[in-house]
Amino acid sequence: MEARVSDRSFGQQLRALRQSAGLTIEALAEASTVSGRAISDMERGRARAPQERTLVALADALELGDAARAELVELARAERSGNRVGRPRLYELPRGLGDFVGRVPELELLLRRGREAAADGPTPVVVVHGQAGVGKTACAVRAAEQLRGEFPDGQFYVDLRGTDAEPMPTVEVLDRLLRALGVKPGAIAEDEQERASQVRALLAERRCLLVLDNAADEAQVRPLLPGPGAGMAIVTSRRTLAGLETVSRIALAPLSPPESAELLRKIVRDDSARAPGGEVVEVARLCGNLPLALRIAGTRLASRPGWTMKNLAERLSDEDRRLAQLSVGDVGVEAAFALSYAVLSSRAKTLFRRLAHVPSVDFAAPIAAVLTRTDLFTAEDELDRLVELGLLQHEGADRYRFHDLIRLYATQRLREEEPAEVRAAAEQSMTDWLLETATMAGRWFEPEAGEPPAEGKGLVAIASPEEAHAWLQVERDSWLAALRLAAAAGRHEQVAGLGEAIYWFAGTMDHWSSQWVEVFALSRAAAARLPDRLGELRHLNHYAWAVLGVGRLEESAALAMEAYRLAESLGAVKEQAEAIWSAGEVWRVASNLDQALWAYSRARELADTAGAHITFLQSFVGAGLTLAGLGRVDEALREFRAVLREIDGRPVPPGMAQATRAAVQLGLARTLADAQRWQEAIDAATPALASSTEMGRRWYIGHVHLVLGRAHAALGAAEQAREHLTAGIELLQDDVVTSPRTMDEAKAQLAALGD
C-alpha cells in the first residue's frame, strides 16, 4: 500500500512522484533544469526542501496536477519551517530547556526585534552577552523557539567555539551556512569575502533566523551577519562585542533569588520534603544565582534520592570546595570560568588573580594598580578587558565587582599560581596603601587640618575635605578590612596612626556607630603596645566616645575615668580635660545630671588652662544641656549664648566652629521647646536645621526635626508638624543614643495628629 503523503518527507514524496512519472533522476534534471545532484540530495534528505522557483520547475517537469502540486508545495514549506518530523537539517537549533525560568524582559526584547524584521529594512542583530554560565545560549534558543513561526525559511544554529583555544574560522562557518542554505559544495566560493556575499545574498531573499552562539570576537562575527532583509541574527558571547555597529545588546545577569529558587524546584521536581523554602534560597545564594551552577546543584540533588537540600547547602558552604561541588558529568562551573581565564594575557591573569585580595565587595581602579604595580591607566584598561570577558562586572560608573563564584575561582588561581611570599607581598602592598590613603583622608577633618603634602596625593584625588569624605565612605569596607589585617599582623603604628587620624571624621558619621567601636578598639589595643603613653591616653578617650555611641554607658564612663586618672598621673592637663568631658557626656546621657554638671565645670577649667579651645566650648554646650535637663532654663540659655560669643572669640577651626554652633542652636531650640516657648523654639531650630543639613549630621538633623514637629503641633500647624515629626523619626529610628522615651513620645504625637 502506498504511504500516505502525511507520513512522507518532501524527499520521499519527490522520489515517489518521479518514479510514478517513469523518470530517472537524469531525465528529471534535464526536464526541470535542476541539477541531478540537487535532486538526488533532496530525495535522500541531504538537502533542505527547495524554494518556490525550484518547486515550480520540478512540478512542471513532473506534469503534476493541482492536488499533487499543492501537496508537494505544502511538504516543502512544512520542512523549511521545521514543522516536519524527519531527518534533521544541517545546523538545527539545539534542544531547548523544558525547565527554562526567568529572562522575561530579555525575551520580550528579542521577540519584538524578531517580529519587527521587515524585508526592506536592516536585518535586526541582537548580541546577548554575559559571564560564563549565565545562560546566554539557553536564552537565545528559547527566543528562537518562540520565533519559529516568524522565520518559515529556516533557523540555523552554529557554535562558533569562541572560548576554544582555536575558535571556528569564519570561512568554515560561512561554508557550513551556505551548505545549510542549500548551496551545492561546488558552487561555494573559496574566498571568505565572497562566501560572506553569498550568505548575504541568500538571506536577503529568505526569512531566516541565525543563532551564532559563543562568538570569540567582532572579527569572527562581522562577516556572518546578514545584510538588509527580513531575517534576524542572535549572537551570544562572553564579550560585549562593542565593535559591532548597529546592533542591540542584552546583558544577562544572574537570576533573581526568586527565579533561582523556582529553577531549583523545577529541577528537583518541587519535592518540598527534600527542599523546604529556606534551604532552597540558601543553595541559590551559594550558587550565586548563576544558572549553570543552579542547574548543576539541582541535578546533583535530583540524582541522589538520599540527599536533601540541606545536605547540598552544607556541601556548598565550604568555600574551598564549592567549585568542586558544582560539577557534574562533563559540565562544571570551574571549567566554564577556566575557558575565559585561558584567553587572558599574562598581565590580565595576574590582575584577575590578585583582585582576590580585595576585601570589599566592590572596588575601583586604584587598588588594581596597587596590586599589580602599574599606573592607573594600565589598570583601567586591564579591568575593562576582564569586564569584556565577563570575569568582572561594572558596579556603577567607575567601580567593579566579582560574581561570588568567580571570586572563588580567582582565589583558587591565586593560591595555585603564585608563591606564598608573592601573595603576602601583594596583600601587604594593598593594605599599606589603603591605610595610608585613609590616614591622609582622615587628616582633613582634624581641627588644624591643612592640605596634605604633595607626595600624599597618589592614585586618588583627595585634595579637599569633600573628596576625603567621599573616599572614606565609598572605600569603608576596604580600609576597615585593611585595619583588621594590620592589627592581626602586629603593625601597631599603622593601626594607631589611622585611629588618631580618623577620630574627627568619625564625629561626622553618627550612623557608623558600631564600626567606630571596632576601629577604636583596635587602635586602643595598638596604642597600648607602643611607648607613647599620651597616645595611649588619646586612644582610650576615643574608645570611650565610641562605646558611648552604641549606648554602652557604664563602660564608657569607666573608660573615661580611667583615661582621666592616667592623664592626671602623667600631668597631661589637656587630656584630663578631654577625659572628664567624655565622662560628663556619659553621665548626662545616663541622667546623672549633677555628676555631669560637675564634670563639665571641671573640664572647662582644665581646658581653659591648657588652651584646649574645642573642649572648652564643648563643656559649655554640655553644661547648657545638663542645666536644661535640671529645669534650670534661664541658666541653660545663658550657657548657650555664652558659647556663641566664645566661638567668635577663640581660635577654633571653621569646621569645628560650624559643628559647635549647630550643637548650640539645637540645644537652644530643645530647651525653649521644653519650656513651651514654641515660637522662640522655631526661631532657634530653623537656623539649626540649615546648619545641620549643611554638615550632613544625621543625628542633629533628626532632633531638630523633632523640635520643629513639637513646636508646630503646639501652635496648631498640623501639616508642618507631621512633616517634621515623620522626618525626625525616620532619621533616628535606628539610633542607639536617642532614648526610647524620646522616640515613643514623637511617635505618639505623630499618631495624635492623624492623617
Side-chain angles (χ1 to χ4, degrees), residues 93-105:
L93 293 172
R95 178 172 173 265
L97 298 173
D99 51 17
F100 187 90
V101 166
R103 307 303 187 202
V104 173

Side-chain angles (χ1 to χ4, degrees), residues 687-704:
L689 183 60
S691 299
S692 302
T693 302
E694 183 179 350
M695 291 190 301
R697 298 293 299 274
R698 186 185 185 92
W699 188 91
Y700 282 109
I701 298 168
H703 280 283
V704 174

Side-chain angles (χ1 to χ4, degrees), residues 100 103 105-107 110 127-131 133-140 236-237 249-255 290-291 393:
F100 187 90
R103 307 303 187 202
E106 293 87 352
L107 286 172
L110 284 162
V127 175
V128 179
H129 62 92
Q131 70 183 74
V134 81
K136 301 178 291 294
T137 300
C139 183
T236 76
S237 180
R249 288 183 174 80
I250 296 176
L252 289 191
L255 297 173
L290 191 68
Q393 303 166 16

Side-chain angles (χ1 to χ4, degrees), residues 135-270:
K136 301 178 291 294
T137 300
C139 183
V141 170
R142 185 74 164 188
E145 290 173 342
Q146 295 182 9
L147 285 168
R148 191 179 295 278
E150 300 292 328
F151 299 100
D153 293 332
Q155 294 181 313
F156 305 101
Y157 170 91
V158 184
D159 181 356
L160 302 180
R161 303 202 303 264
T163 54
D164 287 7
E166 295 184 9
M168 186 183 293
T170 302
V171 69
E172 182 179 338
V173 182
L174 290 166
D175 176 77
R176 295 187 178 201
L177 286 174
L178 287 167
R179 286 190 286 118
L181 289 164
V183 178
K184 296 178 292 185
I188 295 176
E190 292 296 325
D191 179 74
E192 180 180 305
Q193 291 186 1
E194 292 180 6
R195 287 185 181 182
S197 296
Q198 287 180 300
V199 168
R200 286 194 295 273
L202 288 168
L203 293 178
E205 300 175 355
R206 307 180 188 184
R207 286 187 65 83
C208 295
L209 172 64
L210 300 184
V211 178
L212 303 172
D213 193 24
N214 194 15
D217 52 33
E218 295 89 339
Q220 184 191 34
V221 172
R222 193 174 283 111
L224 307 176
L225 299 180
M232 181 182 182
I234 302 175
V235 183
T236 76
S237 180
R238 297 186 183 188
R239 301 176 184 269
T240 58
L241 304 183
L244 294 181
E245 305 85 0
T246 63
V247 303
S248 301
R249 288 183 174 80
I250 296 176
L252 289 191
L255 297 173
S256 69
E259 290 170 340
S260 299
E262 180 185 353
L263 178 57
L264 280 171
R265 289 193 182 95
K266 282 189 172 185
I267 295 170
V268 300
R269 301 189 178 180
D270 198 19

Side-chain angles (χ1 to χ4, degrees), residues 648-733:
D648 295 330
R650 287 184 177 257
V652 180
M656 285 306 304
Q658 182 189 39
T660 304
R661 188 172 284 108
V664 172
Q665 289 169 335
L666 173 59
L668 275 169
R670 293 174 73 174
T671 302
L672 290 164
D674 290 342
Q676 298 185 9
R677 292 158 64 170
W678 302 117
Q679 189 55 55
E680 290 178 79
I682 291 173
D683 292 342
T686 301
L689 183 60
S691 299
S692 302
T693 302
E694 183 179 350
M695 291 190 301
R697 298 293 299 274
R698 186 185 185 92
W699 188 91
Y700 282 109
I701 298 168
H703 280 283
V704 174
H705 275 301
L706 293 187
V707 170
L708 287 167
R710 290 172 60 199
H712 282 296
L715 294 175
E719 184 176 347
Q720 291 171 287
R722 276 194 295 271
E723 179 182 336
H724 286 295
L725 287 169
T726 300
I729 291 167
E730 288 178 355
L731 288 165
L732 299 171
Q733 60 186 352

Side-chain angles (χ1 to χ4, degrees), residues 16 32 39-40 48 52 111 144 208 223 267 307 310 345 415 447 501 543 559 595 623 634 660:
S32 65
I39 294 171
S40 176
R48 65 194 302 276
E52 300 294 334
L111 298 182
C208 295
I267 295 170
W307 280 19
K310 183 179 180 181
S345 67
R415 290 173 181 169
Y543 186 54
L559 288 164
Q595 203 169 3
D634 290 336
T660 304

Side-chain angles (χ1 to χ4, degrees), residues 248-376:
S248 301
R249 288 183 174 80
I250 296 176
L252 289 191
L255 297 173
S256 69
E259 290 170 340
S260 299
E262 180 185 353
L263 178 57
L264 280 171
R265 289 193 182 95
K266 282 189 172 185
I267 295 170
V268 300
R269 301 189 178 180
D270 198 19
D271 186 344
S272 56
R274 296 175 66 200
E279 292 168 5
V280 172
V281 171
E282 177 62 8
V283 168
R285 183 189 69 80
L286 292 170
C287 289
N289 300 310
L290 191 68
L292 176 61
L294 293 164
R295 190 163 295 284
I296 292 170
T299 301
R300 292 195 70 193
L301 180 60
S303 63
R304 290 166 173 79
W307 280 19
T308 65
M309 195 68 74
K310 183 179 180 181
N311 297 138
L312 186 57
E314 289 171 350
R315 284 166 169 77
L316 293 175
S317 62
D318 184 349
E319 288 192 352
D320 291 336
R321 299 182 62 238
R322 189 177 304 163
L323 292 178
Q325 292 290 325
L326 292 172
S327 176
V328 60
D330 61 348
V331 180
V333 170
E334 182 181 344
F337 296 159
L339 292 172
S340 293
Y341 182 72
V343 302
L344 294 175
S345 67
S346 175
R347 177 185 285 171
K349 285 180 177 177
T350 299
L351 174 59
F352 175 76
R353 293 191 302 267
R354 292 185 182 175
L355 286 173
H357 284 301
V358 178
S360 56
V361 172
D362 59 89
F363 51 89
I367 204 167
V370 172
L371 285 166
T372 53
R373 299 182 181 179
T374 57
D375 61 79
L376 192 58

